[in-house]
Amino acid sequence: MPRPCELGRASERPDMMPENKRPEGGADKLKVLLVGGGGREHALAWKIAQSPKLAKLYCAPGNAGIAKHAECVNVSSDDLDGLLKFAVDNKIDLTVVGPELPLVAGIYDKFHARGLKVFGPSAKMAMLEGSKSFSKDVMNRFGVPTAAYEVFTHAKEAMHYAVETEMPVVIKADGLAAGKGVVMCDTSEQAVAALSGIMEKKVFGAAGDKVVIEQKLEGEELSILVLTDGETILPLASARDHKRAYEHDRGPNTGGMGAYSPSAQFDEASIGTIIDKTVRPIIDGLRKEGTPYRGVLYAGLMMTKDGPYVLEYNCRFGDPETEVILPRLKTDLLPVMMEIAGGKLRHRSLQWHEKSCITVVMASGGYPGACQKGFPIRGLPAAEAVPDVVVFHAGTAFNEKKEVVTAGGRVLAVTALGDSLRAACETAYQAIHQIHFEGGFFRRDIGRRAIEVLK
Ligand code: AMP
Ligand code: GLY
């Protein structure tokens, strides 16, 4: 049986408990398969495991942290045939998909054809993330503000344009490139070199058969995530990611080194206005075209002096945004996801804790480049004993001695709730200082700018 919510001693406090307590029995309980094995999926597993509607949670492939809440099954998240067989054999009621790859590869369509419910969009709609040019085209069609752009399929034409056009520009490989397919260019020499790498040397493989070249925007970034059945939109709490590897936003771009929620700069009303400009037009437009977008839609925004511009859409939850959003969510997420998978969202709102949340990612030495794996992780129990802390596992595994060891670039997302962002921040850093593994590093300035703004 999965274990219910544990957020340090905070889980004993009534204000930190899930809205619904876990009742015994009940025929309408669900067997859920969660796909993925990172920090985002640990946060999802932790939340789903608290649902009174849950009968049994499986996770494919999961990790050492997810194993506390779910039975981990040895099927890779991009083995669609293996996942389908598992879901059919185990009579899964709902499959929740974490990463973009299986969504873009068509897990929704494959499962749907066998009458199985999936939380996540169809392959066609997952192209909002899977193809930058498709996504830009949808934004243009429905009047969503986005940077001016051109699409190229021939390297020479793209290079010619890069030499002629005004700098700076941003060059994006059209297809999925594990978050690495975006290159900022201040000079045309940089642009030509980037285009040569992407289109001629194929550093991102077939993802670089096409590129988008767009104007570089200036401003603060903001992530907006909504849950939708293609009609009703339920905004999730706002969150800010920290993408650069090192303090003061230096170093290479990563998947995200830490995040906090809520955003310090934007209140609920202004988030509503931002959603009306950046998300609602495409949800309404796609539904009217007969291809409703269902699942979670993540809009990566640049807040420019002319208002919000969409940098990208993702067809999945953000990582590490999920790790700071879900601990603040009071509402039981499982029935909400089940409604969306069934095509009709009945919930009209979500309830949130009046707390701030912060997560600090502890990564392996060398991340985001190649890193060594298999190092034992010390101090997890001490970190987890800090009140109001939950340690989400991003890249961990058990070794043959049953020790928890590193198994990826991002290893842990050390998460804390607090009455203020400053309090949450102090708690998260208190916890992360308990943890050690060879080569491990983390940014010491997650949330710092926001704390200064709030001051
Ligand atoms: P994307 O995968 O499109 O979100 O790009 C990854 C990161 O590149 C974003 O989070 C931004 O930091 C940056 N970026 C992407 N497009 C632009 C743009 N047009 N102007 C400035 N920065 C951008
Ligand atoms: N944190 C960025 C992403 O999930 O794409």
Side-chain angles (χ1 to χ4, degrees):
M1 197 59 190
R3 290 218 318 248
C5 156
E6 281 177 13
L7 194 54
R9 268 169 257 150
S11 58
E12 291 154 20
R13 300 205 326 242
D15 62 330
M16 303 284 289
M17 281 185 179
E19 259 182 350
N20 309 306
K21 302 258 177 52
R22 180 180 285 260
E24 295 302 317
D28 59 344
K29 291 193 165 199
L30 304 172
K31 285 171 93 177
V32 177
L33 171 63
L34 175 62
V35 176
R40 164 185 51 211
E41 288 78 24
H42 190 175
L44 282 163
W46 172 84
K47 182 67 186 168
I48 293 168
Q50 295 170 48
S51 174
K53 295 266 180 336
L54 182 73
K56 169 99 186 168
L57 180 61
Y58 298 96
C59 188
N63 64 34
I66 293 173
K68 286 188 208 165
H69 314 286
E71 182 178 327
C72 295
V73 291
N74 193 15
V75 182
S76 153
S77 62
D78 41 21
D79 174 6
L80 300 199
D81 290 328
L83 293 169
L84 179 64
K85 180 172 182 333
F86 182 87
V88 169
D89 290 351
N90 291 279
K91 300 191 171 55
I92 296 294
D93 299 298
L94 175 68
T95 299
V96 176
V97 186
E100 62 277 14
L101 221 75
L103 290 165
V104 173
I107 190 169
Y108 173 91
D109 311 76
K110 205 175 179 82
F111 277 45
H112 202 66
R114 294 292 295 270
L116 293 170
K117 287 202 170 75
V118 172
F119 176 81
S122 64
K124 174 107 198 278
M125 290 299 97
M127 275 174 72
L128 283 175
E129 177 164 1
S131 164
K132 301 272 187 202
S133 56
F134 175 89
S135 176
K136 295 288 279 191
D137 181 50
V138 169
M139 292 182 220
N140 259 356
R141 209 155 71 237
F142 302 126
V144 168
T146 188
Y149 72 104
E150 296 288 337
V151 180
F152 297 92
T153 47
H154 295 289
K156 288 284 168 287
E157 281 173 27
M159 289 175 184
H160 184 72
Y161 174 83
V163 169
E164 299 286 309
T165 198
E166 210 179 304
M167 291 290 135
V169 294
V170 181
I171 297 180
K172 302 181 172 185
D174 188 64
L176 292 181
K180 293 180 185 144
V182 174
V183 189
M184 310 280 171
C185 303
D186 292 322
T187 65
S188 36
E189 288 75 27
Q190 287 172 349
V192 169
L195 289 166
S196 165
I198 296 173
M199 300 189 87
E200 292 177 335
K201 301 191 187 97
K202 300 280 181 199
V203 291
F204 305 121
D209 288 349
K210 216 190 243 187
V211 296
V212 170
I213 303 183
E214 68 179 39
Q215 171 202 9
K216 186 175 175 194
L217 301 170
E218 299 293 337
E220 292 267 336
E221 285 188 51
L222 179 71
S223 312
I224 294 280
L225 288 93
V226 303
L227 302 178
T228 179
D229 60 354
E231 184 160 15
T232 300
I233 293 174
L234 293 181
L236 293 173
S238 60
R240 277 288 308 267
D241 188 8
H242 296 57
K243 286 224 167 78
R244 299 294 202 97
Y246 314 129
E247 274 113 39
H248 310 298
D249 289 331
R250 287 179 301 112
N253 257 323
T254 69
M257 291 300 291
Y260 61 86
S261 172
S263 148
Q265 288 94 332
F266 305 99
D267 60 17
E268 216 176 295
S270 46
I271 298 279
T273 313
I274 294 168
I275 288 176
D276 287 344
K277 286 193 182 142
T278 59
V279 173
R280 200 172 297 281
I282 79 147
I283 297 297
D284 288 345
L286 291 170
R287 183 185 66 251
K288 285 177 191 153
E289 287 186 351
T291 50
Y293 184 95
R294 296 193 177 119
V296 57
L297 184 67
Y298 166 143
L301 308 179
M302 187 69 89
M303 304 304 293
T304 73
K305 61 176 175 23
D306 302 321
Y309 275 61
V310 176
L311 297 177
E312 62 165 347
Y313 290 118
N314 293 320
C315 61
R316 48 158 178 92
F317 287 97
D319 191 352
E321 288 90 339
T322 309
E323 290 93 308
V324 288
I325 290 174
L326 294 188
R328 298 188 57 229
L329 179 63
K330 276 190 201 168
T331 308
D332 184 358
L333 186 58
L334 181 52
V336 179
M337 292 197 290
M338 191 64 181
E339 288 174 10
I340 290 174
K344 184 73 196 152
L345 193 44
R346 296 181 199 286
H347 282 70
R348 285 291 168 263
S349 62
L350 298 171
Q351 308 303 313
W352 300 94
H353 291 292
E354 287 295 323
K355 298 257 173 196
S356 293
C357 191
I358 193 158
T359 192
V360 183
V361 169
M362 194 153 175
S364 296
Y367 178 75
C371 357
Q372 275 183 288
K373 299 169 190 174
F375 297 119
I377 304 172
R378 311 282 178 219
L380 282 171
E384 284 163 338
V386 177
D388 293 353
V389 166
V390 61
V391 180
F392 293 122
H393 291 219
T396 68
F398 292 110
N399 66 9
E400 63 289 348
K401 289 191 250 165
K402 292 277 171 240
E403 291 171 316
V404 180
V405 295
T406 63
R410 289 189 288 180
V411 176
L412 302 166
V414 179
T415 307
L417 282 167
D419 290 331
S420 64
L421 190 56
R422 174 184 290 276
C425 191
E426 281 168 8
T427 309
Y429 279 103
Q430 188 192 337
I432 208 167
H433 281 295
Q434 311 296 318
I435 303 174
H436 300 278
F437 56 84
E438 196 172 319
F441 77 99
F442 55 89
R443 275 181 61 161
R444 283 153 209 273
D445 64 344
I446 303 300
R448 188 182 295 163
R449 272 237 304 278
I451 292 169
E452 274 156 22
V453 168
L454 289 168
K455 232 178 10 191

